[in-house]
Amino acid sequence: MTRHSASFGRRALALPLGVAVVSALAFLPGTAAAQPDAPSAPAAQQQADGSAMSYVVNVREGHGGWTAKYVKKAIAKAGGEVVIAYDQIGVIVVHSSDPDFAKKIRQVKGVQSAGATRTTPLSAQSSDDIDAARPLSAKEARAAAGTAADGQDELEPLQWDLPAIKADQAHKESLGSPAVTVGVLDSGVDDTHPDIAPNFDRNASASCLGGVPTQKDNAWRPVAKESDHGMHVAGTIAAAKNGTGVTGVAPGVKVASLKVAEPATGLYYTEAVVCGFVWAAEHGVDVTNSSYYTDPWLFNCRTDDDQRALVDAVGRASRYAERKGAVNVAAAGNARTDLAQEEIVDKSSPNDSTPVERTIKTADCFDLPSQLPGVVTVSSTGAKGLKSSFSNYGKGVIDIAAPGGDSTAFQKPQPPATSGLILSTLPGGKFGYKAGTSMASPHAAGVAALIKSAHPKASAARVKALLYRQADAMACTDPYDIDGDGKVDAVCEGGRNKNGFYGVGMIDALDAVRK
Protein backbone atom coordinates (compact mmCIF):
# COMPACT_ATOMS: atom_id res chain seq x y z
CA MET A 1 0.00 0.00 0.00
CA THR A 2 1.49 3.31 -1.05
CA ARG A 3 1.50 6.11 1.48
CA HIS A 4 2.63 9.09 -0.61
CA SER A 5 4.95 10.21 -3.38
CA ALA A 6 7.90 8.62 -1.61
CA SER A 7 5.91 5.40 -1.34
CA PHE A 8 6.12 5.07 2.41
CA GLY A 9 4.96 1.46 2.57
CA ARG A 10 2.71 0.27 5.37
CA ARG A 11 2.53 -3.10 7.04
CA ALA A 12 4.11 -6.14 5.53
CA LEU A 13 1.96 -6.73 2.55
CA ALA A 14 2.16 -9.51 0.04
CA LEU A 15 3.83 -8.95 -3.31
CA PRO A 16 1.67 -10.43 -6.06
CA LEU A 17 3.67 -12.69 -8.36
CA GLY A 18 5.63 -10.75 -10.94
CA VAL A 19 4.48 -7.39 -9.62
CA ALA A 20 6.80 -4.94 -7.93
CA VAL A 21 4.60 -3.68 -5.13
CA VAL A 22 5.76 -2.46 -1.74
CA SER A 23 4.58 -4.93 0.80
CA ALA A 24 5.99 -4.98 4.30
CA LEU A 25 5.74 -2.96 7.45
CA ALA A 26 7.38 0.35 7.00
CA PHE A 27 9.77 1.99 9.36
CA LEU A 28 10.98 5.34 8.44
CA PRO A 29 13.68 7.16 10.20
CA GLY A 30 13.63 10.55 11.60
CA THR A 31 10.60 12.55 10.95
CA ALA A 32 11.52 16.00 11.73
CA ALA A 33 8.97 18.36 13.01
CA ALA A 34 6.89 20.12 10.45
CA GLN A 35 8.43 23.27 9.08
CA PRO A 36 7.07 26.51 10.59
CA ASP A 37 5.13 27.16 7.40
CA ALA A 38 3.83 23.62 7.09
CA PRO A 39 0.27 22.87 8.23
CA SER A 40 -0.12 20.53 11.17
CA ALA A 41 -2.97 18.37 12.42
CA PRO A 42 -3.79 19.06 16.08
CA ALA A 43 -4.29 15.78 17.90
CA ALA A 44 -7.55 16.85 19.48
CA GLN A 45 -9.04 18.37 16.34
CA GLN A 46 -11.68 15.64 16.03
CA GLN A 47 -12.71 15.67 19.66
CA ALA A 48 -15.34 18.37 19.49
CA ASP A 49 -18.15 15.84 20.03
CA GLY A 50 -16.82 14.98 23.48
CA SER A 51 -15.59 11.52 22.54
CA ALA A 52 -12.74 10.18 24.63
CA MET A 53 -9.17 10.33 23.35
CA SER A 54 -6.17 8.33 24.49
CA TYR A 55 -3.03 9.99 25.87
CA VAL A 56 0.34 9.10 27.32
CA VAL A 57 1.65 11.19 30.19
CA ASN A 58 5.35 10.82 30.94
CA VAL A 59 6.45 11.76 34.44
CA ARG A 60 9.76 12.41 36.10
CA GLU A 61 11.07 9.17 37.53
CA GLY A 62 12.37 8.72 41.08
CA HIS A 63 11.42 10.38 44.36
CA GLY A 64 9.97 7.11 45.65
CA GLY A 65 6.98 7.29 43.34
CA TRP A 66 5.82 10.60 44.83
CA THR A 67 5.84 12.32 41.42
CA ALA A 68 3.64 9.68 39.81
CA LYS A 69 1.14 9.82 42.68
CA TYR A 70 0.98 13.60 42.48
CA VAL A 71 0.49 13.55 38.71
CA LYS A 72 -2.24 10.89 38.90
CA LYS A 73 -4.24 13.20 41.18
CA ALA A 74 -3.64 16.07 38.77
CA ILE A 75 -4.85 13.90 35.87
CA ALA A 76 -8.23 13.46 37.57
CA LYS A 77 -8.47 17.21 38.21
CA ALA A 78 -7.69 17.88 34.55
CA GLY A 79 -10.55 15.65 33.39
CA GLY A 80 -8.58 12.50 32.71
CA GLU A 81 -8.98 8.87 33.79
CA VAL A 82 -5.93 6.70 34.37
CA VAL A 83 -6.23 3.49 32.32
CA ILE A 84 -2.93 1.99 33.45
CA ALA A 85 0.29 3.35 34.92
CA TYR A 86 3.66 1.88 34.03
CA ASP A 87 5.42 3.27 37.06
CA GLN A 88 8.61 1.33 36.24
CA ILE A 89 9.19 3.70 33.29
CA GLY A 90 7.07 6.67 34.32
CA VAL A 91 4.44 6.31 31.57
CA ILE A 92 0.73 6.72 32.33
CA VAL A 93 -2.02 5.87 29.82
CA VAL A 94 -5.00 8.20 30.17
CA HIS A 95 -8.42 8.65 28.56
CA SER A 96 -10.06 12.06 28.50
CA SER A 97 -12.93 13.77 26.70
CA ASP A 98 -11.50 17.24 27.38
CA PRO A 99 -9.86 18.58 24.18
CA ASP A 100 -7.54 20.67 26.37
CA PHE A 101 -6.42 17.78 28.57
CA ALA A 102 -2.89 17.54 27.18
CA LYS A 103 -2.36 21.28 27.40
CA LYS A 104 -3.50 21.30 31.04
CA ILE A 105 -1.51 18.30 32.19
CA ARG A 106 1.72 19.55 30.59
CA GLN A 107 1.65 22.43 33.09
CA VAL A 108 1.69 20.06 36.07
CA LYS A 109 4.92 19.77 38.04
CA GLY A 110 6.65 16.47 37.37
CA VAL A 111 5.15 15.99 33.88
CA GLN A 112 7.92 15.84 31.31
CA SER A 113 5.73 15.33 28.24
CA ALA A 114 2.14 14.43 27.39
CA GLY A 115 0.30 13.89 24.15
CA ALA A 116 -2.55 12.22 22.30
CA THR A 117 -1.69 8.81 20.88
CA ARG A 118 -4.15 9.19 18.01
CA THR A 119 -6.10 11.88 16.16
CA THR A 120 -9.40 10.00 16.07
CA PRO A 121 -11.58 9.40 19.14
CA LEU A 122 -11.56 5.93 20.63
CA SER A 123 -15.08 5.30 19.38
CA ALA A 124 -14.36 6.03 15.73
CA GLN A 125 -11.23 4.39 14.40
CA SER A 126 -10.60 4.45 10.68
CA SER A 127 -9.92 1.43 8.54
CA ASP A 128 -6.61 0.54 6.97
CA ASP A 129 -5.95 -1.83 4.10
CA ILE A 130 -3.60 -4.73 4.64
CA ASP A 131 -3.05 -7.07 1.72
CA ALA A 132 -3.51 -10.75 2.39
CA ALA A 133 -0.68 -13.16 1.86
CA ARG A 134 -0.63 -15.22 -1.34
CA PRO A 135 -1.60 -18.68 -0.09
CA LEU A 136 0.59 -21.63 -0.94
CA SER A 137 -1.18 -23.70 -3.57
CA ALA A 138 -1.73 -27.44 -3.19
CA LYS A 139 0.27 -27.98 -6.39
CA GLU A 140 3.25 -26.08 -4.99
CA ALA A 141 3.04 -28.00 -1.72
CA ARG A 142 3.02 -31.37 -3.50
CA ALA A 143 5.96 -30.38 -5.68
CA ALA A 144 7.97 -29.18 -2.70
CA ALA A 145 7.27 -32.30 -0.66
CA GLY A 146 8.68 -34.38 -3.48
CA THR A 147 12.00 -32.54 -3.40
CA ALA A 148 12.53 -32.44 0.37
CA ALA A 149 15.79 -34.07 1.41
CA ASP A 150 16.31 -36.14 4.54
CA GLY A 151 16.04 -33.92 7.58
CA GLN A 152 14.10 -31.22 5.77
CA ASP A 153 10.54 -30.18 6.51
CA GLU A 154 8.33 -30.86 3.50
CA LEU A 155 8.05 -27.20 2.39
CA GLU A 156 11.63 -26.26 3.20
CA PRO A 157 12.80 -26.62 -0.44
CA LEU A 158 10.69 -23.52 -1.21
CA GLN A 159 12.47 -21.49 1.48
CA TRP A 160 15.41 -20.01 -0.44
CA ASP A 161 15.85 -17.57 2.44
CA LEU A 162 17.25 -20.24 4.78
CA PRO A 163 20.36 -21.13 2.74
CA ALA A 164 20.79 -17.41 2.00
CA ILE A 165 21.71 -16.93 5.66
CA LYS A 166 23.22 -20.44 6.12
CA ALA A 167 20.36 -21.44 8.42
CA ASP A 168 20.14 -24.85 6.74
CA GLN A 169 23.75 -25.49 7.76
CA ALA A 170 23.24 -24.04 11.22
CA HIS A 171 20.34 -26.42 11.91
CA LYS A 172 22.67 -29.39 11.54
CA GLU A 173 24.50 -28.12 14.62
CA SER A 174 21.79 -26.38 16.65
CA LEU A 175 18.11 -25.49 16.37
CA GLY A 176 18.32 -22.99 19.20
CA SER A 177 17.39 -23.35 22.86
CA PRO A 178 13.83 -23.66 24.24
CA ALA A 179 15.06 -21.46 27.09
CA VAL A 180 15.14 -18.51 24.63
CA THR A 181 11.92 -16.65 23.77
CA VAL A 182 11.29 -14.21 20.93
CA GLY A 183 8.37 -11.84 21.45
CA VAL A 184 6.42 -10.89 18.31
CA LEU A 185 4.88 -7.43 18.74
CA ASP A 186 2.30 -7.61 16.01
CA SER A 187 -1.27 -8.54 15.03
CA GLY A 188 -1.38 -11.79 17.00
CA VAL A 189 -0.18 -15.37 16.67
CA ASP A 190 -2.31 -18.50 16.19
CA ASP A 191 -0.70 -20.87 18.67
CA THR A 192 -2.82 -23.79 17.43
CA HIS A 193 -0.88 -23.94 14.14
CA PRO A 194 1.04 -27.26 13.92
CA ASP A 195 4.28 -25.41 13.15
CA ILE A 196 3.86 -22.92 16.01
CA ALA A 197 2.25 -24.96 18.80
CA PRO A 198 5.42 -26.91 19.74
CA ASN A 199 7.36 -23.68 20.30
CA PHE A 200 4.73 -21.33 21.71
CA ASP A 201 5.35 -19.55 25.02
CA ARG A 202 1.92 -18.91 26.55
CA ASN A 203 3.29 -17.42 29.75
CA ALA A 204 5.07 -14.67 27.84
CA SER A 205 2.09 -13.95 25.54
CA ALA A 206 -0.63 -11.33 25.98
CA SER A 207 -2.86 -8.86 24.20
CA CYS A 208 -1.78 -5.26 24.80
CA LEU A 209 -4.64 -3.52 23.01
CA GLY A 210 -5.49 -0.23 24.65
CA GLY A 211 -2.26 -0.40 26.59
CA VAL A 212 -3.54 -2.95 29.10
CA PRO A 213 -2.12 -6.50 29.05
CA THR A 214 -4.49 -9.45 29.23
CA GLN A 215 -4.10 -13.19 28.74
CA LYS A 216 -7.76 -14.04 29.20
CA ASP A 217 -9.36 -16.20 26.49
CA ASN A 218 -6.13 -16.49 24.50
CA ALA A 219 -6.35 -12.79 23.69
CA TRP A 220 -2.98 -12.91 21.90
CA ARG A 221 -4.51 -14.72 18.91
CA PRO A 222 -5.67 -12.94 15.74
CA VAL A 223 -9.43 -12.76 15.40
CA ALA A 224 -11.47 -13.63 12.30
CA LYS A 225 -10.61 -11.48 9.26
CA GLU A 226 -7.73 -9.87 11.15
CA SER A 227 -4.30 -9.40 9.57
CA ASP A 228 -2.19 -12.55 9.25
CA HIS A 229 0.95 -10.44 9.47
CA GLY A 230 2.02 -11.45 12.97
CA MET A 231 1.52 -15.11 12.18
CA HIS A 232 3.79 -14.93 9.14
CA VAL A 233 6.46 -13.19 11.22
CA ALA A 234 6.24 -15.82 13.99
CA GLY A 235 6.73 -18.70 11.57
CA THR A 236 9.82 -17.12 10.04
CA ILE A 237 11.36 -16.90 13.49
CA ALA A 238 10.48 -20.23 15.06
CA ALA A 239 8.35 -22.58 12.95
CA ALA A 240 9.14 -26.03 14.37
CA LYS A 241 11.39 -28.45 12.52
CA ASN A 242 8.97 -31.34 12.76
CA GLY A 243 8.95 -32.97 9.33
CA THR A 244 5.99 -30.98 8.00
CA GLY A 245 5.32 -27.43 6.91
CA VAL A 246 8.07 -24.80 6.95
CA THR A 247 11.17 -24.31 9.07
CA GLY A 248 11.95 -21.23 11.12
CA VAL A 249 15.33 -19.54 11.38
CA ALA A 250 15.53 -20.70 15.00
CA PRO A 251 13.18 -23.72 15.09
CA GLY A 252 14.17 -24.74 18.61
CA VAL A 253 13.45 -21.48 20.42
CA LYS A 254 10.14 -20.28 21.83
CA VAL A 255 7.94 -17.60 20.32
CA ALA A 256 5.49 -15.39 22.21
CA SER A 257 2.64 -13.27 20.87
CA LEU A 258 2.38 -9.67 22.07
CA LYS A 259 -0.67 -8.37 20.27
CA VAL A 260 -0.33 -4.64 19.65
CA ALA A 261 -2.31 -4.07 16.41
CA GLU A 262 -5.97 -3.02 16.55
CA PRO A 263 -8.11 -5.80 14.97
CA ALA A 264 -10.48 -3.47 13.11
CA THR A 265 -7.89 -1.07 11.71
CA GLY A 266 -4.51 -2.76 11.78
CA LEU A 267 -3.08 0.32 13.49
CA TYR A 268 -0.29 0.12 16.07
CA TYR A 269 -0.87 2.79 18.72
CA THR A 270 1.67 4.00 21.27
CA GLU A 271 -0.07 2.70 24.38
CA ALA A 272 -0.17 -0.85 22.97
CA VAL A 273 3.46 -0.73 21.86
CA VAL A 274 4.56 0.53 25.30
CA CYS A 275 2.62 -2.31 26.90
CA GLY A 276 4.25 -4.84 24.57
CA PHE A 277 7.79 -3.82 25.41
CA VAL A 278 7.13 -3.64 29.15
CA TRP A 279 5.41 -7.04 29.15
CA ALA A 280 8.33 -8.52 27.21
CA ALA A 281 10.78 -7.01 29.68
CA GLU A 282 9.02 -8.54 32.65
CA HIS A 283 8.27 -11.99 31.22
CA GLY A 284 11.69 -13.24 30.22
CA VAL A 285 11.60 -12.33 26.52
CA ASP A 286 15.12 -12.39 25.06
CA VAL A 287 14.44 -10.85 21.63
CA THR A 288 11.58 -8.70 20.36
CA ASN A 289 10.53 -8.22 16.75
CA SER A 290 8.70 -5.09 15.59
CA SER A 291 7.66 -5.19 11.95
CA TYR A 292 5.57 -2.01 11.99
CA TYR A 293 5.77 1.69 12.71
CA THR A 294 3.82 3.25 15.55
CA ASP A 295 0.69 4.97 14.26
CA PRO A 296 -0.68 7.48 13.42
CA TRP A 297 2.52 9.38 12.55
CA LEU A 298 4.98 8.02 10.01
CA PHE A 299 7.57 10.11 11.82
CA ASN A 300 7.24 11.45 15.35
CA CYS A 301 8.89 14.83 15.78
CA ARG A 302 10.24 16.02 19.10
CA THR A 303 9.38 19.58 18.08
CA ASP A 304 5.67 18.71 18.32
CA ASP A 305 4.24 18.48 21.86
CA ASP A 306 2.08 15.43 21.19
CA GLN A 307 4.61 13.54 19.10
CA ARG A 308 7.42 14.23 21.56
CA ALA A 309 5.39 12.41 24.20
CA LEU A 310 5.06 9.39 21.93
CA VAL A 311 8.80 9.30 21.29
CA ASP A 312 9.42 9.52 25.04
CA ALA A 313 6.93 6.78 25.90
CA VAL A 314 8.02 4.21 23.31
CA GLY A 315 11.68 5.08 23.92
CA ARG A 316 11.36 4.48 27.65
CA ALA A 317 9.61 1.15 27.03
CA SER A 318 12.15 -0.15 24.51
CA ARG A 319 15.08 0.88 26.71
CA TYR A 320 13.45 -0.85 29.66
CA ALA A 321 13.16 -4.07 27.65
CA GLU A 322 16.81 -3.83 26.67
CA ARG A 323 17.89 -3.18 30.26
CA LYS A 324 16.03 -6.36 31.18
CA GLY A 325 18.03 -8.28 28.56
CA ALA A 326 15.95 -8.12 25.38
CA VAL A 327 17.45 -7.42 21.96
CA ASN A 328 14.96 -5.24 20.05
CA VAL A 329 14.86 -5.82 16.27
CA ALA A 330 12.78 -3.76 13.82
CA ALA A 331 12.02 -3.43 10.10
CA ALA A 332 13.39 -0.49 8.09
CA GLY A 333 10.29 0.04 5.92
CA ASN A 334 9.21 -0.42 2.32
CA ALA A 335 9.26 3.02 0.78
CA ARG A 336 12.35 2.73 -1.45
CA THR A 337 13.46 5.80 0.48
CA ASP A 338 16.88 7.02 1.57
CA LEU A 339 16.27 7.57 5.25
CA ALA A 340 19.59 9.38 5.65
CA GLN A 341 18.49 12.44 3.66
CA GLU A 342 17.96 15.61 5.68
CA GLU A 343 14.30 16.16 4.79
CA ILE A 344 11.42 13.93 3.79
CA VAL A 345 7.95 14.92 2.60
CA ASP A 346 5.29 12.99 4.49
CA LYS A 347 1.84 13.08 2.93
CA SER A 348 0.46 10.10 4.83
CA SER A 349 0.18 11.31 8.42
CA PRO A 350 -1.85 11.15 10.50
CA ASN A 351 -3.16 7.92 9.02
CA ASP A 352 -6.15 7.53 11.36
CA SER A 353 -7.87 10.73 10.21
CA THR A 354 -7.09 13.24 7.43
CA PRO A 355 -3.42 13.27 6.39
CA VAL A 356 -1.71 16.66 6.14
CA GLU A 357 1.37 17.14 3.99
CA ARG A 358 4.43 18.15 5.96
CA THR A 359 8.17 18.30 5.45
CA ILE A 360 10.06 16.70 8.28
CA LYS A 361 13.69 17.00 9.27
CA THR A 362 15.12 13.58 9.93
CA ALA A 363 17.40 14.93 12.66
CA ASP A 364 14.33 15.80 14.76
CA CYS A 365 11.81 13.14 13.80
CA PHE A 366 11.83 9.40 14.29
CA ASP A 367 10.15 6.26 13.11
CA LEU A 368 9.06 4.31 16.17
CA PRO A 369 10.48 1.97 17.24
CA SER A 370 13.03 1.28 14.47
CA GLN A 371 14.98 4.51 14.87
CA LEU A 372 15.20 4.49 18.62
CA PRO A 373 18.64 4.11 20.20
CA GLY A 374 19.66 0.48 20.63
CA VAL A 375 17.12 -0.96 18.19
CA VAL A 376 18.52 -3.17 15.39
CA THR A 377 17.22 -1.73 12.08
CA VAL A 378 16.97 -4.29 9.26
CA SER A 379 16.85 -3.76 5.49
CA SER A 380 15.56 -6.37 3.04
CA THR A 381 17.24 -8.42 0.34
CA GLY A 382 15.81 -10.66 -2.37
CA ALA A 383 16.67 -14.08 -3.74
CA LYS A 384 19.63 -12.71 -5.72
CA GLY A 385 21.11 -11.13 -2.63
CA LEU A 386 20.39 -7.56 -3.74
CA LYS A 387 18.52 -4.88 -1.84
CA SER A 388 14.81 -5.53 -2.34
CA SER A 389 13.15 -3.14 -4.77
CA PHE A 390 10.93 -1.75 -2.00
CA SER A 391 13.38 -1.65 0.92
CA ASN A 392 14.27 1.61 2.62
CA TYR A 393 17.96 2.30 3.01
CA GLY A 394 20.34 4.93 4.32
CA LYS A 395 23.92 5.17 5.53
CA GLY A 396 23.98 5.31 9.31
CA VAL A 397 20.35 4.17 9.51
CA ILE A 398 20.48 0.53 8.37
CA ASP A 399 22.29 -1.74 10.80
CA ILE A 400 22.11 -5.11 9.05
CA ALA A 401 20.45 -6.91 6.13
CA ALA A 402 18.28 -10.04 5.92
CA PRO A 403 16.08 -11.81 3.35
CA GLY A 404 12.69 -10.14 2.98
CA GLY A 405 11.86 -11.22 -0.55
CA ASP A 406 11.18 -9.28 -3.72
CA SER A 407 9.17 -9.54 -6.91
CA THR A 408 10.03 -12.82 -8.62
CA ALA A 409 10.42 -10.81 -11.82
CA PHE A 410 13.31 -8.91 -10.22
CA GLN A 411 14.97 -11.58 -8.11
CA LYS A 412 14.07 -15.15 -9.02
CA PRO A 413 15.31 -17.91 -6.72
CA GLN A 414 17.14 -21.07 -7.72
CA PRO A 415 14.94 -24.18 -8.11
CA PRO A 416 13.22 -25.93 -6.47
CA ALA A 417 12.06 -22.60 -4.95
CA THR A 418 9.67 -20.87 -7.33
CA SER A 419 8.74 -17.57 -5.67
CA GLY A 420 10.95 -14.63 -4.76
CA LEU A 421 8.72 -13.99 -1.75
CA ILE A 422 9.09 -15.44 1.75
CA LEU A 423 7.07 -18.54 2.64
CA SER A 424 5.83 -18.85 6.23
CA THR A 425 2.91 -19.76 8.43
CA LEU A 426 -0.62 -18.31 8.27
CA PRO A 427 -3.52 -18.72 10.72
CA GLY A 428 -5.60 -21.89 10.61
CA GLY A 429 -2.72 -24.25 9.84
CA LYS A 430 -2.04 -22.62 6.48
CA PHE A 431 1.05 -21.28 4.70
CA GLY A 432 1.62 -18.36 2.37
CA TYR A 433 4.01 -15.89 0.79
CA LYS A 434 4.73 -12.29 1.77
CA ALA A 435 7.54 -9.84 1.11
CA GLY A 436 8.82 -6.75 2.84
CA THR A 437 11.19 -5.52 5.48
CA SER A 438 8.58 -6.99 7.82
CA MET A 439 9.82 -10.36 6.64
CA ALA A 440 13.50 -9.39 6.86
CA SER A 441 13.33 -8.28 10.50
CA PRO A 442 12.19 -11.68 11.87
CA HIS A 443 15.09 -13.37 10.08
CA ALA A 444 17.45 -11.13 12.06
CA ALA A 445 15.46 -11.73 15.24
CA GLY A 446 15.80 -15.47 14.67
CA VAL A 447 19.58 -15.22 14.29
CA ALA A 448 19.74 -13.10 17.46
CA ALA A 449 17.84 -15.92 19.20
CA LEU A 450 20.41 -18.46 17.96
CA ILE A 451 23.20 -16.27 19.34
CA LYS A 452 21.43 -16.01 22.69
CA SER A 453 21.01 -19.78 22.66
CA ALA A 454 24.75 -20.24 22.18
CA HIS A 455 25.56 -17.58 24.79
CA PRO A 456 22.77 -17.85 27.39
CA LYS A 457 24.41 -15.43 29.80
CA ALA A 458 25.15 -12.77 27.18
CA SER A 459 23.69 -9.31 27.68
CA ALA A 460 21.58 -7.65 25.00
CA ALA A 461 24.58 -5.51 24.07
CA ARG A 462 26.76 -8.60 23.71
CA VAL A 463 24.19 -10.39 21.51
CA LYS A 464 23.97 -7.34 19.24
CA ALA A 465 27.74 -7.06 19.04
CA LEU A 466 27.97 -10.70 17.95
CA LEU A 467 25.13 -10.24 15.44
CA TYR A 468 27.01 -7.39 13.78
CA ARG A 469 30.46 -8.99 14.03
CA GLN A 470 29.30 -12.27 12.49
CA ALA A 471 27.46 -10.65 9.57
CA ASP A 472 28.87 -11.29 6.09
CA ALA A 473 30.06 -7.97 4.65
CA MET A 474 28.28 -6.86 1.48
CA ALA A 475 29.59 -4.18 -0.86
CA CYS A 476 27.26 -1.56 -2.28
CA THR A 477 25.30 -2.60 -5.35
CA ASP A 478 26.52 0.00 -7.84
CA PRO A 479 24.82 0.76 -10.06
CA TYR A 480 21.53 -0.40 -8.55
CA ASP A 481 19.07 -0.95 -11.39
CA ILE A 482 16.73 -3.57 -9.95
CA ASP A 483 14.20 -3.54 -12.78
CA GLY A 484 16.81 -3.50 -15.56
CA ASP A 485 15.42 -0.46 -17.36
CA GLY A 486 18.79 1.28 -17.57
CA LYS A 487 17.98 3.81 -14.86
CA VAL A 488 19.55 3.87 -11.40
CA ASP A 489 16.85 3.14 -8.81
CA ALA A 490 18.81 4.00 -5.67
CA VAL A 491 22.31 5.10 -4.67
CA CYS A 492 24.21 3.21 -1.99
CA GLU A 493 26.78 5.08 0.09
CA GLY A 494 29.54 3.61 2.21
CA GLY A 495 32.11 0.83 2.07
CA ARG A 496 31.96 -2.94 2.08
CA ASN A 497 31.82 -3.21 5.86
CA LYS A 498 29.18 -0.53 6.46
CA ASN A 499 26.88 1.02 3.90
CA GLY A 500 23.41 2.37 3.33
CA PHE A 501 21.94 -0.71 1.63
CA TYR A 502 23.15 -3.53 3.85
CA GLY A 503 24.59 -1.99 7.01
CA VAL A 504 27.32 -4.32 8.30
CA GLY A 505 26.12 -7.04 5.93
CA MET A 506 23.99 -10.17 5.75
CA ILE A 507 23.03 -11.99 8.95
CA ASP A 508 24.84 -15.32 9.42
CA ALA A 509 22.99 -18.14 11.19
CA LEU A 510 25.89 -20.58 10.96
CA ASP A 511 28.31 -18.29 12.78
CA ALA A 512 25.56 -17.68 15.33
CA VAL A 513 25.63 -21.30 16.46
CA ARG A 514 29.40 -21.82 16.04
CA LYS A 515 30.95 -18.72 17.55
Side-chain angles (χ1 to χ4, degrees):
M1 170 174 162
T2 300
R3 301 297 287 270
H4 58 57
S5 59
S7 278
F8 285 113
R10 227 204 127 51
R11 313 304 171 206
L13 314 181
L15 283 175
L17 287 181
V19 180
V21 205
V22 171
S23 79
L25 284 166
F27 288 66
L28 305 177
T31 304
Q35 298 294 341
D37 59 345
S40 59
Q45 66 180 0
Q46 299 189 24
Q47 204 177 348
D49 63 355
S51 299
M53 293 282 284
S54 182
Y55 299 84
V56 284
V57 178
N58 304 307
V59 304
R60 186 177 298 118
E61 300 176 71
H63 305 290
W66 178 88
T67 300
K69 292 178 182 178
Y70 175 79
V71 171
K72 289 172 188 176
K73 291 181 180 178
I75 286 171
K77 291 182 180 179
E81 178 183 357
V82 173
V83 176
I84 190 170
Y86 290 102
D87 292 335
Q88 38 308 43
I89 57 173
V91 177
I92 306 172
V93 179
V94 179
H95 288 174
S96 177
S97 298
D98 185 345
D100 294 323
F101 171 76
K103 185 184 300 183
K104 292 177 182 177
I105 204 66
R106 288 179 194 130
Q107 307 305 313
V108 173
K109 183 179 180 180
V111 172
Q112 294 185 315
S113 60
T117 66
R118 59 192 76 197
T119 65
T120 302
L122 293 167
S123 59
Q125 296 167 4
S126 62
S127 63
D128 187 39
D129 295 329
I130 296 183
D131 292 350
R134 183 180 77 77
L136 179 73
S137 70
K139 181 178 179 180
E140 288 174 307
R142 287 193 298 270
T147 61
D150 290 343
Q152 281 191 319
D153 284 347
E154 58 185 357
L155 299 180
E156 192 173 342
L158 300 179
Q159 294 182 268
W160 59 264
D161 47 309
L162 296 183
I165 61 171
K166 307 172 196 171
D168 55 335
Q169 300 176 57
H171 295 164
K172 295 176 183 177
E173 300 190 23
S174 174
L175 301 179
S177 169
V180 172
T181 293
V182 181
V184 177
L185 280 70
D186 216 298
S187 59
V189 176
D190 175 12
D191 52 291
T192 68
H193 193 292
D195 258 359
I196 296 296
N199 292 337
F200 193 72
D201 188 337
R202 294 175 62 91
N203 291 332
S205 298
S207 167
C208 273
L209 301 184
V212 180
T214 180
Q215 294 181 306
K216 184 179 179 181
D217 299 326
N218 304 312
W220 55 73
R221 293 176 182 168
V223 298
K225 297 183 179 180
E226 189 172 3
S227 169
D228 52 19
H229 187 269
M231 188 61 183
H232 197 279
V233 166
T236 295
I237 295 168
K241 195 167 184 64
N242 53 6
T244 64
V246 296
T247 303
V249 173
V253 308
K254 297 293 185 184
V255 65
S257 174
L258 298 170
K259 189 172 182 177
V260 297
E262 296 281 346
T265 64
L267 299 183
Y268 297 67
Y269 286 118
T270 294
E271 57 268 42
V273 173
V274 167
C275 169
F277 278 119
V278 173
W279 181 271
E282 298 185 345
H283 289 80
V285 171
D286 301 286
V287 181
T288 69
N289 185 85
S290 294
S291 290
Y292 59 88
Y293 70 81
T294 305
D295 298 293
W297 305 98
L298 186 58
F299 298 101
N300 291 269
C301 301
R302 294 190 61 84
T303 50
D304 177 274
D305 286 339
D306 284 291
Q307 294 165 38
R308 180 172 68 251
L310 309 189
V311 175
D312 288 348
V314 177
R316 291 183 184 196
S318 67
R319 288 193 300 273
Y320 182 62
E322 184 165 2
R323 288 199 303 270
K324 290 287 190 175
V327 174
N328 298 317
V329 183
N334 313 307
R336 303 181 177 90
T337 298
D338 182 357
L339 302 177
Q341 59 189 309
E342 293 183 359
E343 295 184 346
I344 294 176
V345 177
D346 173 20
K347 298 181 180 180
S348 66
S349 303
N351 64 1
D352 61 348
S353 56
T354 303
V356 177
E357 181 175 337
R358 60 180 184 157
T359 298
I360 63 93
K361 292 185 178 296
T362 54
D364 301 328
C365 306
F366 308 92
D367 166 82
L368 302 179
S370 73
Q371 289 193 304
L372 291 170
V375 175
V376 178
T377 305
V378 187
S379 66
S380 174
T381 58
K384 295 296 185 184
L386 304 177
K387 184 188 82 71
S388 301
S389 57
F390 50 77
S391 182
N392 287 340
Y393 58 100
K395 185 180 180 183
V397 178
I398 301 302
D399 293 315
I400 203 163
D406 203 351
S407 167
T408 308
F410 296 161
Q411 301 195 57
K412 186 176 181 179
Q414 293 293 323
T418 57
S419 173
L421 313 187
I422 302 298
L423 181 63
S424 188
T425 52
L426 298 179
K430 299 178 181 179
F431 303 90
Y433 289 99
K434 286 182 182 287
T437 56
S438 285
M439 283 60 255
S441 181
H443 281 82
V447 171
L450 291 176
I451 293 173
K452 182 66 175 179
S453 298
H455 303 274
K457 295 183 179 180
S459 65
R462 174 65 173 162
V463 172
K464 286 191 291 182
L466 288 171
L467 180 70
Y468 298 149
R469 185 183 307 164
Q470 295 168 1
D472 295 330
M474 298 175 67
C476 278
T477 304
D478 184 21
Y480 178 77
D481 177 16
I482 195 66
D483 55 5
D485 65 354
K487 298 178 181 178
V488 173
D489 296 308
V491 176
C492 178
E493 297 182 342
R496 177 177 176 80
N497 295 316
K498 184 70 173 180
N499 59 61
F501 276 14
Y502 311 112
V504 295
M506 177 65 70
I507 55 172
D508 189 324
L510 183 57
D511 279 356
V513 300
R514 281 183 171 178
K515 297 182 178 181

